[in-house]
Each structure stands twice: as structure tokens, then as C-alpha cells.
């Protein structure tokens, strides 16, 4: 008899048995962050009497656009809920995998169809947790300079939500068949950025013992930049800086509407000197994540997903492409351009450069920082979608084993070759959750990354380990050493298309 009623620190929850897996959805891990709790750290969840039904996903975070398949249910400012998949709520103490969704800190949810934990639980004897956290202006509006101590951490509420969920897992997951001392934190895109920050964050220490970062970008923005954004938000609402408390009383929909006037990734983690005392990469190099095994990787054609969404993309000529790259890269563009002088100035080059600038190079550099202190396995995803290549997020259906035609599959891939690769990646992630090492019989031996030979697992039709497969790494090492080099700002390319 499988157990679906479980006692948590807040009260009893009742899930359901779905096939060979027990599932609980919409468990609150913190109080609703509404009213006076808006822009404040998450608080302990309310308790309840009796048994709470947890068979429907909780509301997901307010967001400007809900992409098809991104979330089940409704959106609300009251969004701090998590979901659990487990083989059984017994005393087996299985490894736990906690997933942080991507979406540029402005969209996404833990109830996205892709993140169904059934396959991990069924095929890997793993307990999977997915969660929602505050997004956009609700999760990352930095009010410390106008609101003082009460709002000192407001620029990182979304990260504090993630930490609150991890604390909930540590307190409660054993009752669901999981081991609170074997937690792997994994995420993609903004979720991977979050993992990278939490690896360096004192507040998150001890809440997980392993990590996986899939396509991380640059990690934090400065407090000055975040404070300027907060002022612009207040200006757009005709509020003076001393009227910041009025932000608490505004309808959530009005705040969300105002946030649409800002470019992607405007609202994201802040180097506030408090929760994030130093840049994460610096903290990592000083040993903040020492001895935590990590998998880090990126996709070959990351930026093609974003370029394809720009309305004028099909019309670009050489001059347009060169102009966009110059605007994106600023004063270091001549240095970079010189290295590609013999390469045609076409969309292929544009995507190649922007892929490195946005995700490939930042992920690689973070991998190298981590490798100075512990074991890191680096991958490069090269399996190509016919339409968008090995674009951003294309590894997701492979990691989650969601390529079968009967499953949700955003990219429409279900070939025998894709199914084989999904099995390989899925099992590597499972092996890592169990042992802290991703090696499995299904793949060639995957060595720990080192700065001499730089071995990398290249996931493709026939996966293989290649030494230093990042063909443009040396070019970007040179460019990033320039004094005028700036990490990518996500507004740099989108804003020029607003009037296209």
C-alpha cells in the first residue's frame, strides 16, 4: 500500500498515486508574499488542521506572457508553492533533485509540463521537487536605497524564495521518501544562474550538496543599476522616492503592467553587499562552493532561440548584423571583429558570437572557477533541432526524458536517435544525483574538467568526450581581458528592435 498522506511541519498533505509514482502538487512552502509582505523575505508557511488536498498545482508567479505549456493553473502574486514526485513516501532515503526553472526571471513556473518528475522518480529512484518563486518586479525590485533596512534584501526576494523552498525540503522531504542530506540543486537559464549564485551565497550553505547548471548567463547586476531601475519604476508611477510605501498598496496587475516598459532581465539578482556580499565568481574562487560536485554546460547554438523571436530577423543584411553586434559588444567589437575578418558577416556568425556572449562563455568561465576548488564535469550540447539547431533550452526534453511523441515536447523531436540521447543524459543526471558523479555505462567515460586538457562531454547523436571543443574560447579569453569588456546586458539587442 502506497502512502499519499504525509505529515509536514505545517500540517498533513494528501497527494495521489499516478502509475508508479506518488505526486503532491501545490504545497505552500512560505506565506503568500502579498500585502505588507510584498518585497519582503519569505515567511514560514501558515499551519492548518486536518488534511490538505495537494493534487492541483498552486498558482504560479505573475508574469507578462505565459507561453504555451509553461504552466498549469492560474497566476497570482500568491505563488510560493512546490511540487513533489516520489516513488513512495517511505523510509528509503532516496536522493533528492530540486529544480529551479528558467525564464529570464520574468516568466516560467515549476508546473511547466516539461518539468514532470515522473521519469526521474520512476527510472531513477529519485525524489523530484519543482517550485515557483517570485519573478520580475515582485522578486527583484531593489528598494534598499529608498526603503532602508526593511527592504534591504528586496532586490533578491526571488532568491530568498528559492532558499526558503530548500529549507522546507531539508525539514520535510524525509517524510516523502527523500534524503535531506543528499540534495542536488539543478536549473536551466535563469534557474542555472540562480544555482550559480546559491553556490556562492552564505545564506544557502548546507542546503544542497551537489549542483547542475544548464546554460547560465551573467549572474548579478550592480546595486547602483538596480537602484536606478527602482527609481524609473517609481517615476513611471508618478511616485517620489519618499513614497515607496505606496508600492505596497498598488494592485499587482498595475505593477506588472509597468514592468513591461523595461527590457528583458532588467529585474534580476542584485549584488547588494548583504545577501550577495561579493560577485559570485569571486566567492567561488575563494572556496565558497569547495567540494560541492557540479555539472556545468551550455548549448552550441544558444542564441538562435532568441534571434528567431526578433520580428525583423528574416530581413537582416550584413550591415544590420554588423550594427547589432557593434551595439551589443560596444568598444570591444573591433577586437572581436578582427578575429572573424575572414568569416562571412551573416546570421550564422551573428548567432555564433551572441551564443558565446550570452551563455557559452559565461558558463565556461564559471565552470573554470568551480574547477579550481572541486570536481566539475563540463558538457556541450550539440544535438541539433532542424529549425533552431542546438538552441537555448533544447537540452531540456533530453534531461527530463520528454522526447517521446506521447509527451509534451516543445521542439518536436522524437526520433530514435533523440530517444537514445535522452536516455543517456537522463541517466547521467540520475547517476549524479545518486553518487555525485555523472558517469554511466550508456556514455563514454566522462572525466572531471581540468584547465590543461579541458575534457568536455559533447552530447550529440554519438556523444563523445572532446578536449577543448569550445572553438572560440581563446578569442573570448582575449576579448574578455579588454578593459572595456562588459558582460552581456540583455537589453542590448532587444531594444534596437523595438522600432524595427
Amino acid at each position: 500500500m502506497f502512502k499519499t498522506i504525509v505529515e509536514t511541519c505545517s500540517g498533513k498533505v494528501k497527494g495521489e498515486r499516478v502509475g508508479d509514482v506518488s505526486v503532491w502538487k501545490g504545497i505552500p512552502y512560505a506565506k503568500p508574499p502579498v500585502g505588507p509582505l510584498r518585497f519582503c523575505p519569505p515567511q514560514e508557511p501558515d499551519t492548518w488542521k486536518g488534511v490538505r488536498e495537494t493534487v492541483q498545482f498552486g498558482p504560479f508567479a505573475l508574469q507578462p506572457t505565459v507561453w504555451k505549456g509553461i504552466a498549469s493553473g492560474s497566476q497570482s502574486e500568491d505563488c510560493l508553492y512546490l511540487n513533489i514526485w516520489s516513488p513512495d513516501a517511505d523510509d528509503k532515503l532516496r536522493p533528492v533533485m530540486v529544480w529551479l526553472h528558467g525564464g529570464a526571471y520574468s516568466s516560467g513556473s515549476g508546473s511547466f509540463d516539461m518539468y514532470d518528475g515522473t521519469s526521474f522518480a520512476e527510472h531513477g529512484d529519485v525524489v523530484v521537487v519543482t517550485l515557483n518563486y517570485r519573478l520580475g518586479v515582485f522578486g527583484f525590485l531593489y528598494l534598499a536605497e529608498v526603503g532602508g533596512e526593511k527592504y534591504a534584501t528586496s532586490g533578491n526576494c526571488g532568491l530568498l524564495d528559492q532558499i526558503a523552498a530548500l529549507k522546507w525540503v531539508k525539514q520535510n522531504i524525509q517524510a516523502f521518501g527523500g534524503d535531506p542530506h543528499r540534495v542536488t540543486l539543478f536549473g536551466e537559464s535563469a534557474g542555472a544562474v540562480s544555482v550559480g549564485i546559491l553556490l556562492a551565497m552564505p545564506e544557502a550553505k548546507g542546503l544542497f550538496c551537489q549542483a547542475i547548471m544548464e546554460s547560465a548567463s551573467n549572474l548579478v547586476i550592480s546595486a547602483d543599476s538596480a537602484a536606478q531601475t527602482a527609481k524609473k519604476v517609481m517615476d513611471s508611477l508618478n511616485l517620489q522616492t519618499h513614497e515607496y510605501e505606496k508600492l505596497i498598496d498598488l494592485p499587482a496587475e498595475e505593477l506588472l503592467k509597468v514592468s513591461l516598459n523595461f527590457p528583458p532581465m532588467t529585474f534580476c539578482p542584485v549584488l547588494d553587499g548583504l545577501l550577495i556580499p561579493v560577485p559570485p565568481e569571486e566567492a567561488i574562487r575563494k572556496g565558497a562552493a569547495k567540494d560541492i560536485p557540479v555539472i556545468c554546460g551550455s548549448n552550441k547554438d544558444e542564441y538562435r532561440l532568441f534571434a528567431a523571436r526578433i520580428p525583423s530577423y528574416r530581413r537582416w543584411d550584413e550591415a544590420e548584423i554588423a550594427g547589432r553586434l557593434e551595439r551589443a559588444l560596444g568598444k570591444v567589437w573591433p577586437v572581436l571583429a578582427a578575429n572573424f575578418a575572414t568569416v562571412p558577416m551573416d546570421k550564422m556568425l551573428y548567432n555564433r558570437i551572441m551564443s558565446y556572449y550570452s551563455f557559452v562563455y559565461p558558463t565556461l568561465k564559471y565552470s573554470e572557477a568551480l574547477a579550481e576548488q572541486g570536481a566539475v564535469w563540463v558538457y556541450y550540447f550539440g544535438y541539433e533541432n532542424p529549425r533552431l539547431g542546438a538552441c537555448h533550452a533544447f537540452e531540456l526534453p533530453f534531461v527530463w526524458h520528454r522526447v517521446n511523441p506521447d509527451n509534451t515536447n516543445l521542439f518536436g523531436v522524437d526520433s530514435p536517435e533523440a530517444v537514445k540521447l535522452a536516455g543517456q543524459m537522463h541517466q547521467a543526471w540520475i547517476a549524479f544525483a545518486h553518487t555525485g558523479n555523472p558517469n554511466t555505462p550508456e556514455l563514454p567515460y566522462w572525466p572531471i574538467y581540468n584547465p590543461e586538457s579541458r575534457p568536455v562531454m559533447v552530447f550529440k547523436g554519438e556523444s563523445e568526450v572532446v578536449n577543448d571543443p569550445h572553438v572560440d574560447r581563446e578569442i573570448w579569453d582575449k576579448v574578455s581581458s579588454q578593459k572595456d569588456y562588459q558582460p552581456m546586458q540583455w537589453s542590448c539587442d532587444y531594444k534596437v528592435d523595438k522600432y524595427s
Side-chain angles (χ1 to χ4, degrees):
M1 186 69 178
F2 296 101
K3 184 179 176 183
T4 56
I5 297 178
V6 175
E7 182 84 54
T8 75
C9 291
S10 301
K12 292 181 180 180
V13 294
K14 182 181 181 182
E16 61 181 337
R17 191 72 181 174
V18 182
D20 294 328
V21 176
S22 295
V23 185
W24 297 263
K25 299 175 180 177
I27 302 176
Y29 66 84
K31 283 185 189 293
V34 300
L37 294 183
R38 182 183 282 175
F39 310 128
C40 289
Q43 306 296 306
E44 290 282 336
D46 295 323
T47 59
W48 58 84
K49 295 180 180 180
V51 179
R52 181 178 183 129
E53 289 278 343
T54 52
V55 295
Q56 299 291 331
F57 289 117
F60 55 91
L62 286 172
Q63 47 199 274
T65 303
V66 181
W67 300 101
K68 183 180 179 181
I70 284 291
S72 298
S74 59
Q75 56 176 314
S76 171
E77 192 175 2
D78 171 11
C79 63
L80 302 185
Y81 299 89
L82 56 76
N83 319 295
I84 301 171
W85 288 259
S86 175
D88 192 15
D90 53 21
D91 58 0
K92 194 172 178 180
L93 292 177
R94 299 169 181 82
V96 180
M97 300 183 75
V98 178
W99 175 254
L100 302 180
H101 71 77
Y105 290 115
S106 62
S107 66
S109 83
S111 55
F112 181 14
D113 292 339
M114 184 71 72
Y115 311 145
D116 185 302
T118 298
S119 189
F120 275 113
E122 199 170 61
H123 301 154
D125 201 29
V126 170
V127 177
V128 175
V129 180
T130 69
L131 59 109
N132 303 330
Y133 54 93
R134 279 174 282 183
L135 299 172
V137 70
F138 301 97
F140 301 97
L141 183 64
Y142 183 63
L143 297 172
E145 290 200 5
V146 296
E149 185 177 351
K150 182 178 180 181
Y151 298 106
T153 60
S154 62
N156 290 307
C157 281
L159 294 178
L160 288 174
D161 294 342
Q162 296 167 3
I163 290 172
L166 286 167
K167 289 178 177 177
W168 189 97
V169 167
K170 196 171 189 70
Q171 291 176 329
N172 295 283
I173 206 64
Q174 187 168 337
F176 295 86
D179 186 344
H181 303 295
R182 281 198 297 166
V183 175
T184 297
L185 184 64
F186 69 136
E188 182 267 345
S189 195
V193 173
S194 298
V195 173
I197 297 172
L198 295 181
L199 278 165
M201 239 173 126
E203 188 83 8
K205 196 157 186 70
L207 296 177
F208 57 97
C209 60
Q210 298 166 176
I212 302 173
M213 298 169 61
E214 302 172 25
S215 300
S217 189
N218 298 298
L219 301 180
V220 292
I221 59 174
S222 71
D224 286 345
S225 175
Q228 290 173 19
T229 296
K231 186 177 186 308
K232 290 176 182 176
V233 168
M234 296 185 72
D235 286 346
S236 65
L237 292 165
N238 296 315
L239 295 177
Q240 301 297 312
T241 53
H242 68 275
E243 297 179 296
Y244 62 89
E245 291 281 7
K246 291 185 178 181
L247 292 170
I248 308 303
D249 299 322
L250 284 174
E253 291 73 20
E254 189 171 344
L255 272 174
L256 181 64
K257 184 177 180 180
V258 164
S259 71
L260 300 181
N261 297 324
F262 295 84
M265 294 292 283
T266 296
F267 303 101
C268 60
V270 181
L271 184 61
D272 60 6
L274 185 63
L275 289 172
I276 307 177
V278 298
E281 192 172 318
E282 179 183 329
I284 291 298
R285 292 188 186 280
K286 291 179 178 177
K290 186 175 176 59
D291 300 326
I292 295 180
V294 181
I295 295 174
C296 267
S298 58
N299 299 356
K300 181 175 68 70
D301 306 311
E302 294 273 7
Y303 208 76
R304 284 184 65 176
L305 181 68
F306 304 98
R309 292 178 176 177
I310 300 176
S312 63
Y313 180 65
R314 294 175 181 271
R315 305 193 301 270
W316 292 0
D317 56 17
E318 288 187 15
E320 175 71 13
I321 291 167
R324 283 177 175 267
L325 289 171
E326 184 175 8
R327 287 191 289 271
L329 288 146
K331 293 181 180 180
V332 300
W333 168 239
V335 178
L336 189 59
N339 286 276
F340 292 105
T342 61
V343 181
M345 186 63 66
D346 56 14
K347 293 175 187 174
M348 186 177 295
L349 179 61
Y350 173 82
N351 285 307
R352 176 176 168 182
I353 289 174
M354 293 300 291
S355 291
Y356 266 81
Y357 190 30
S358 57
F359 293 102
V360 176
Y361 191 69
T363 299
L364 183 58
K365 294 307 291 181
Y366 209 69
S367 302
E368 292 178 345
L370 287 162
E372 292 179 12
Q373 301 290 334
V376 179
W377 288 265
V378 177
Y379 74 86
Y380 198 36
F381 187 80
Y383 190 83
E384 296 190 12
N385 177 296
R387 188 168 63 91
L388 295 172
C391 68
H392 187 66
F394 187 36
E395 88 288 354
L396 287 176
F398 296 85
V399 166
W400 288 84
H401 210 268
R402 302 284 286 171
V403 299
N404 296 326
D406 293 337
N407 288 332
T408 298
N409 182 359
L410 291 180
F411 297 97
V413 176
D414 59 8
S415 68
E417 187 179 58
V419 172
K420 175 186 173 184
L421 179 58
Q424 291 175 334
M425 291 191 74
H426 190 57
Q427 287 301 321
W429 267 232
I430 288 169
F432 186 73
H434 277 271
T435 68
N437 186 315
N439 277 289
T440 70
E442 289 82 9
L443 283 169
Y445 176 68
W446 186 355
I448 293 172
Y449 188 82
N450 68 78
E452 288 77 37
S453 57
R454 295 187 167 90
V456 174
M457 177 64 74
V458 179
F459 286 114
K460 54 183 183 179
E462 288 296 328
S463 299
E464 61 178 339
V465 173
V466 179
N467 288 338
D468 204 11
H470 297 89
V471 293
D472 295 339
R473 178 187 58 78
E474 291 185 356
I475 294 173
W476 282 92
D477 282 343
K478 185 191 305 182
V479 170
S480 67
S481 68
Q482 302 291 307
K483 67 176 184 177
D484 293 318
Y485 176 79
Q486 295 290 330
M488 180 172 176
Q489 301 297 310
W490 277 89
S491 60
C492 67
D493 197 47
Y494 279 78
K495 67 182 180 183
V496 298
D497 211 67
K498 189 173 181 180
Y499 309 104
S500 297

